[in-house]
Amino acid sequence: MVLKVFFPQCCNTADSGLLVGRWLPGHDSAVVLAVVHYPFIPGQVKKYLSQIRSQTDVELTVLGSWSMPTEGQEGMDSFLRDLSTIFPHTCWLQISREIGKRGFICNVVSNEGTLFTGKPKANSGSCNGKEDAGDSDGAERIIFIHYDQRKVMLSQLHPVHDVVQESKADASELRTMFQTVAGSQPLFLLDRYDDGPLKTTHWQSDGREASIIVELLKQASVPVCMLITWMLSVWHWLCSIRILNSRPAQFISSKLSTCVQLGYRTDHLQTVASTKKATEHMEFMRKANIFVSVLVDMALGLLLISWLYRENRIGTLANTLVPVADHVAKELQELLQWLMGAPAGLKMNKALDEVLGRFFLYHIHLWISYIHLMSPFIEMILWYVGLSACLGLTFALSVLSDIVALLTFHIYCFYVYGARLYCLKIYGLASLWRLFRGKKWNVLRQRVDSCSYDLDQLFIGTLLFTILLFLLPTTALYYLVFTLLRLVVVLFQGLIHLSVDLVNSFPLFAMALRFCRPYRLAEGVKFRVLTQEPGTPLHLLMEINPIKCSTVVQCYRTPTYSCYPKDSWGALCKKLFVGELIYPWRHKGTKAD
């Protein structure tokens, strides 16, 4: 048997006293949590431990004695050794430290007597009373694992994916050890400045960590959360109006990025303003990430407002917008006139080419008239739209996406017209091609079945197939051109949506912990030899391995529409080939909570 003793580094120089901790169930390991200093009364120690057990789920007990050589306490070792008859125990640890040595001397005593010692050539045995006659060196059978109690207390141990680092048994033992330290928080509230019958040494014995700013924020958070909750209730009451729940209003709101972002922000504020205490680690991290993301978003929005409303940049942007729209419309007119001729020397169907060209030119004419009609009000609209940035940068970007969608609405209409016409011809040709092969599509069974056609049906099918086949190049050319234009707009809007999603979902608080306090998010531990002196057990130092940055993002990111599966590149190319409408930035299914 190898006995592992997890010993806190803060207790290496503690005064002599009793070791308080826990034996890990199912493992030959003990976790030392604190040292109770002499002088003390055993009855007071038992009462104090019973109070701690009632506040936690950890079965704390007296593990043994700790002896630190000091002047005037020469007989302390024998006194502490006799205390093993007072406190109930299965194994009693007698740990002492000699002057001039970094290593400890450890004797393990049970009710039946000494089992084995940290000194060489001692009797060997185990905590269950069984002896191992083959081992003659007891020092090699005791391992001290020194750990930083503060880091272990504040860290969250995540599952280790690399099986090479540690086995499942070691992972279970380490997880139990981490949970023991984290669950013993009431034990760490007693420091040396408190008036009481007991004096202890642990990671907060020199004074508990406190911050006046943190305490003030905690006191102010309650009324602020109540105010936010009341404002959200008013907002939900306004949204419950019947006219806003009608089908046209819901359809329009689902297409506007600003409304989608408003829904996400409402859910985020509800999560942050919830009065329910976050007891679980993931729940706390989600609240903290959302809170930090909202603060950073609003700070960036205020910076954008200060830039926009300085030096009359709103007026400059409004004066530039109309000429840019006219230039885009002029370029589209020239493109359509080029398509109505002989583009790239291609032979087009002149009648269909003229009909499609004039149809699209008429839409451009209507759009130019609409832009010039709205030009006197553009500056005022942009002035009020810029105020939306006070709600956050994501709102400003969402409004920008909606403005781009409105300014390029004519391109979207061209794409829809061309795609629908092209899709109709593609599906018509596919259906007529099955007619030639004596097949038909069974709508009920969703499969292709055999079918016999008469002569008239074959004649009409051949005629329609020929017409659609010869008109397909002209339709495909218009579809190709307007699809490319639509993809440029979609790409720009996709970049905007990715930026909004990055601010909404990126775990800023978790990443700050990863860089500032990497031990808070632990993936595992590593050990290095601290000291190995003759006549003393092996001493190891346990260091915490922080999780990778990619794992932090994957584990703690806030769910948004980018977290849902989208169409693959193959499915997207298939939709483009058959003429189906594409919205690659939209998520599938219901919006995430």
Side-chain angles (χ1 to χ4, degrees):
M1 181 198 78
V2 176
L3 177 64
K4 287 175 281 188
V5 180
F6 292 89
F7 201 86
Q9 290 179 297
C10 57
C11 297
N12 288 344
T13 58
D15 295 335
S16 300
L18 294 176
L19 298 174
V20 177
R22 180 193 182 193
W23 291 99
L24 297 184
H27 303 279
D28 294 323
S29 304
V31 180
V32 178
L33 299 174
V35 176
V36 179
H37 298 163
Y38 180 83
F40 53 81
I41 301 176
Q44 292 177 343
V45 176
K46 292 181 179 181
K47 182 179 179 181
Y48 176 65
L49 291 181
S50 63
Q51 292 176 355
I52 298 297
R53 291 193 200 99
S54 63
Q55 300 176 17
T56 64
D57 296 332
V58 180
E59 291 294 331
L60 297 179
T61 184
V62 177
L63 300 177
S65 62
W66 163 257
S67 178
M68 184 71 180
T70 55
E71 296 182 0
Q73 296 182 356
E74 287 75 8
M76 183 62 63
D77 292 345
S78 60
F79 169 74
L80 295 175
R81 191 179 303 111
D82 295 337
L83 290 177
S84 61
T85 59
I86 300 177
F87 294 97
H89 65 276
T90 302
C91 292
W92 183 266
L93 301 178
Q94 295 177 355
I95 304 177
S96 60
R97 184 173 182 180
E98 297 180 354
I99 299 177
K101 289 188 177 182
R102 298 180 62 186
F104 303 159
I105 296 175
C106 180
N107 296 328
V108 181
V109 181
S110 69
N111 296 328
E112 300 177 359
T114 302
L115 292 179
F116 57 90
T117 176
K119 296 181 179 180
K121 297 182 180 180
N123 295 330
S124 59
S126 61
C127 288
N128 55 14
K130 297 180 181 179
E131 296 184 355
D132 296 330
D135 289 336
S136 61
D137 193 353
E140 296 180 356
R141 301 174 57 221
I142 301 177
I143 299 177
F144 279 93
I145 302 176
H146 297 262
Y147 68 96
D148 192 326
Q149 202 169 46
R150 177 176 180 269
K151 293 182 178 181
V152 174
M153 174 70 191
L154 300 177
S155 64
Q156 175 68 26
L157 188 62
H158 289 70
V160 180
H161 302 286
D162 191 359
V163 296
V164 179
Q165 294 185 6
E166 56 184 3
S167 63
K168 292 184 179 180
D170 294 335
S172 177
E173 182 180 7
L174 288 175
R175 185 168 297 278
T176 306
M177 179 263 180
F178 272 70
Q179 292 174 353
T180 299
V181 178
S184 305
Q185 188 173 2
L187 180 66
F188 305 140
L189 298 181
L190 184 67
D191 57 40
R192 66 179 182 179
Y193 300 105
D194 293 333
D195 294 332
L198 299 178
K199 299 297 181 181
T200 59
T201 293
H202 46 74
W203 73 284
Q204 288 196 124
S205 58
D206 291 335
R208 295 190 295 271
E209 292 185 345
S211 174
I212 297 178
I213 298 178
V214 173
E215 294 299 326
L216 291 177
L217 290 177
K218 288 181 179 179
Q219 295 295 329
S221 62
V222 176
V224 171
C225 289
M226 293 178 63
L227 177 61
I228 295 177
T229 303
W230 178 79
M231 294 175 63
L232 290 175
S233 63
V234 174
W235 172 252
H236 283 296
W237 177 79
L238 293 175
C239 292
S240 62
I241 299 176
R242 178 175 296 182
I243 190 173
L244 296 179
N245 289 325
S246 60
R247 183 170 297 180
Q250 290 183 349
F251 176 78
I252 295 175
S253 62
S254 64
K255 300 302 179 183
L256 293 178
S257 300
T258 307
C259 296
V260 175
Q261 175 59 23
L262 187 60
Y264 278 113
R265 182 52 51 83
T266 302
D267 295 339
H268 292 169
L269 291 178
Q270 284 181 341
T271 302
V272 173
S274 175
T275 57
K276 182 181 177 181
K277 187 176 180 181
T279 56
E280 297 294 333
H281 171 73
M282 295 301 297
E283 185 180 0
F284 168 77
M285 293 296 294
R286 184 170 185 266
K287 277 190 173 184
N289 287 324
I290 292 176
F291 179 73
V292 174
S293 297
V294 171
L295 288 183
V296 172
D297 187 20
M298 296 184 67
L300 294 176
L302 293 177
L303 290 176
L304 179 62
I305 287 179
S306 65
W307 180 82
L308 282 176
Y309 291 93
R310 191 185 304 163
E311 299 178 0
N312 195 24
R313 288 190 174 91
I314 293 289
T316 305
L317 182 62
N319 295 331
T320 307
L321 196 59
V322 176
V324 169
D326 289 339
H327 178 72
V328 173
K330 183 180 178 181
E331 293 294 331
L332 284 176
Q333 285 179 339
E334 294 180 357
L335 177 63
L336 288 173
Q337 291 175 357
W338 178 71
L339 291 176
M340 292 171 65
L346 297 176
K347 182 68 175 178
M348 310 292 291
N349 186 282
K350 189 171 182 59
L352 181 60
D353 196 10
E354 288 287 337
V355 170
L356 293 178
R358 292 186 179 185
F359 177 75
F360 292 134
L361 285 174
Y362 178 70
H363 278 73
I364 294 178
H365 175 71
L366 291 177
W367 186 252
I368 293 176
S369 302
Y370 171 73
I371 292 295
H372 284 281
L373 181 65
M374 295 293 297
S375 58
F377 309 99
I378 289 180
E379 183 175 358
M380 182 179 63
I381 294 174
L382 291 179
W383 196 90
Y384 286 106
V385 165
L387 293 178
S388 65
C390 65
L391 299 176
L393 179 64
T394 54
F395 277 92
L397 293 176
S398 299
V399 171
L400 176 61
S401 177
D402 293 334
I403 291 176
V404 170
L406 292 175
L407 292 178
T408 58
F409 185 70
H410 54 306
I411 296 179
Y412 174 74
C413 292
F414 296 163
Y415 165 71
V416 172
Y417 297 152
R420 291 303 185 190
L421 187 59
Y422 175 78
C423 182
L424 179 63
K425 291 190 176 182
I426 288 294
Y427 279 102
L429 289 173
S431 180
L432 294 173
W433 177 250
R434 286 194 294 267
L435 183 141
F436 294 150
R437 296 184 295 123
K439 305 287 185 181
K440 73 171 183 178
W441 176 255
N442 192 329
V443 180
L444 295 178
R445 299 181 179 273
Q446 293 294 310
R447 67 183 185 184
V448 177
D449 294 335
S450 300
C451 182
S452 59
Y453 298 96
D454 55 22
L455 186 60
D456 295 338
Q457 291 175 331
L458 291 174
F459 175 75
I460 296 176
T462 304
L463 183 62
L464 292 176
F465 183 84
T466 305
I467 295 174
L468 293 178
L469 183 63
F470 282 100
L471 293 180
L472 181 63
T474 304
T475 307
L477 183 61
Y478 276 88
Y479 169 71
L480 176 63
V481 172
F482 293 129
T483 299
L484 293 177
L485 293 176
R486 177 60 182 166
L487 288 178
V488 172
V489 177
V490 165
L491 179 62
F492 181 72
Q493 287 185 287
L495 293 176
I496 295 177
H497 293 156
L498 287 178
S499 302
V500 172
D501 179 71
L502 180 64
V503 178
N504 285 333
S505 65
F506 192 77
L508 293 174
F509 180 77
M511 290 300 295
L513 283 183
R514 171 60 180 82
F515 288 107
C516 299
R517 293 185 175 183
Y519 59 86
R520 292 290 300 272
L521 305 176
E523 188 179 28
V525 297
K526 60 182 178 181
F527 302 93
R528 65 180 180 88
V529 178
L530 188 62
T531 179
Q532 191 174 12
E533 298 177 352
T536 60
L538 175 65
H539 289 257
L540 302 177
L541 178 62
M542 184 178 72
E543 298 177 346
I544 295 178
N545 282 333
I547 63 177
K548 300 178 182 178
C549 295
S550 58
T551 308
V552 173
V553 176
Q554 182 180 3
C555 184
Y556 292 106
R557 68 178 303 183
T558 305
T560 56
Y561 53 78
S562 68
C563 300
Y564 290 82
K566 301 178 180 63
D567 291 329
S568 61
W569 287 106
L572 185 62
C573 293
K574 180 181 178 181
K575 287 185 176 181
L576 289 174
F577 180 77
V578 299
E580 294 183 9
L581 300 181
I582 55 170
Y583 302 97
W585 68 91
R586 291 295 183 186
H587 65 86
K588 290 183 177 181
T590 311
K591 182 181 67 175
D593 294 331

